[in-house]
Amino acid sequence: MSKVVSEDDLAILLKAGLSEADIRHSILVAEKALDIAGRTGKALDMVLVARGAVFHDLGKALTHSYQHGEIGAEMGKRLGLPKAITDIARKHFHGGIT
């Protein structure tokens, strides 16, 4: 397991039913997001960056359609994830889509 993902967050992904491939993807996205965030030179909430990336595809536990972001946000809300994280899940797919 990557040091980017906490044991608790990994357990949430597994319990939600995310596939191993989707979990690996989410870990890679988190690592890349942290790399990019770190190069901005800005004071950013790196925990939020990592967790938002880890949970961005939570909805893929139920569907791989374009609706997975919205579904993942609702799943995250039911799981008690912070709104900032569910907002990332909701918005990540819709970038540029009106």
Side-chain angles (χ1 to χ4, degrees), residues 24-76:
R24 282 192 305 272
H25 165 74
S26 293
I27 292 168
L28 290 173
V29 169
E31 290 170 346
K32 181 54 87 174
L34 287 169
D35 175 53
I36 293 168
R39 289 187 278 133
T40 67
K42 304 288 182 187
L44 301 173
D45 182 344
M46 299 302 260
V47 172
L48 175 60
V49 170
R51 291 190 84 211
V54 164
F55 287 109
H56 82 282
D57 274 346
L58 181 61
K60 286 187 175 180
L62 300 178
T63 183
H64 279 74
S65 78
Y66 72 91
Q67 296 171 322
H68 77 271
E70 186 68 34
I71 290 168
E74 292 305 313
M75 290 173 68

